[in-house]
Amino acid sequence: MGKPTGFMEFQRINEAYLPVADRLKNYGEFVQTLTDEQAKTQGARCMDCGIPFCNNGCPINNIIPDWNDLVYRGQWQEALTVLHSTNNFPEFTGRICPAPCEAACTLNIDQAAVGIKSIEHAIIDKAWENGWVVPQPAVTKTGKKVAVVGGGPAGLAAAQQLARAGHAVTVFEKNSRVGGLLRYGIPDFKFEKSHIDRRMDQMRAEGVEFRTGVWVGKEMPGKGTANDATTSVSPDELLKSFDAVILTGGSETPRDLPVPGRELSGVHFALEFLIPQNKEVAGDGRNPIHADGKHVVVIGGGDTGSDCVGTSNRHGAAAVTQFEVMPRPPELENGPLTWPYWPLKLRTSSSHDEGCARDWSVTTKEFIGENGKLTGLKAARVEWKDGKLSEIAGSEFIVKADLVFLAMGFTNPVAKMLEAFGVDKDARGNAKANTDGAGCYQTNVPKVFAAGDVRRGQSLVVWAIREGRQAARAVDEFLMGSSVLPR
């Protein structure tokens, strides 16, 4: 694939960023897509490695060597066809996927991996610019109706596949706009929401109906769950009106930090900050939480924490500190030891580069405040001993904080929705459904399927797309007896 000697001749080319001073002035995307020549050079580095481990490293099994080779040869439209054969929304994954395919790249054993994600990004951006992405409505209709509950990436992927199979699909979304955490959890500077909107236009042309502001359940979710719903539909109504129902909601219950002072004003879950900010950027209101001139502490070292860092910097925070309870990872992974698996190594995001003090092996013991308002937090150093995390004696310290954002992940989907359908849950509170064999993605409730974070727990957008596509095939088989949809 690519040029046989390309991996020896060319170095990896990373996508460029706009300068920090420029990107902090707005919420626009700042990653600069590879030029055609740069993408061709990256494609040339793809090795004829015999077994393309990148395919299996990718949750949706993108046929990566093929479209790398096509880009190298300048056959961009053919590359798009190959890319779309496994991925409904490469403009999503080309921007926000952490690229496990690159970790599995054979070249990554002892050199820099092929820039797979950047090539994907280049293919789909060129495709939209040239009008190659068009609706693909079904030639014949089946007369079957499917309800998709949840408008995130899993639901969107399932809906598009089923509509192309000829079914009448309706997507129910509790928020005022479709996209789930893809729209509301990820800041625009990483992922502008126009990418969702134009896919929705394509899907409408393919026959998908979107109903927003609708809660599916017997009673509205409680406080802490993002919900713009002004009306509701009961599970019984859906099951009477549709031939199948797919539950594709997110894992929306945030992990809390129940330490003294948790009730102080200024301590928030990350999404209490990020969701209103995304709505403000979209013109749907104003964020009640402002970080301008404040000392911000983010607890949690993952992507959500990084998003809080970047958003706080755009507000004009006086200082941003990020704590992680785990030890600092190594700067570089041991390639021969970890390949082709996802390696543990230090990952520095663009938001960190914009200004952030990072600290590891830190636990929060108490939030400190005056008159009900946060003024700081008491933390301590921790270490692993005999497989357990323990506090280091005498290591306590206090950090000034006007705002704290808890970004420690999510535990399970909204229980009320699953309970309203009577869906069995696994030990983690997710919808219980198998992914192999007969009846895959089916729950214990007849006609009800589950896919994405609601089934597997908090995960990546690429896993959501995979599960949405696979669930669509399972539903098509359930309705028609067989399916031509790919898995």
Side-chain angles (χ1 to χ4, degrees), residues 6-12 41-42 44-47 49 51 53-54 101-116 333 335 339:
F7 71 97
M8 295 186 290
E9 297 176 32
F10 307 118
Q11 299 300 310
R12 177 184 171 100
T41 299
Q42 277 303 288
R45 296 183 71 236
C46 189
M47 304 168 68
C49 57
I51 299 175
F53 286 87
C54 56
C101 55
E102 294 187 12
C105 173
T106 302
L107 195 55
N108 194 49
I109 297 175
D110 60 357
Q111 297 184 44
V114 174
I116 298 168
E333 75 271 31
W339 178 88

Side-chain angles (χ1 to χ4, degrees), residues 5 68 124 194 214 253 262 281 296 312 315 358 362 442 454 474:
T5 57
N68 281 347
I124 190 60
S194 59
V214 180
T253 305
R262 172 65 180 87
V281 172
V296 176
S312 297
H315 278 206
R358 304 168 73 186
V362 175
Q442 292 189 42
V454 73

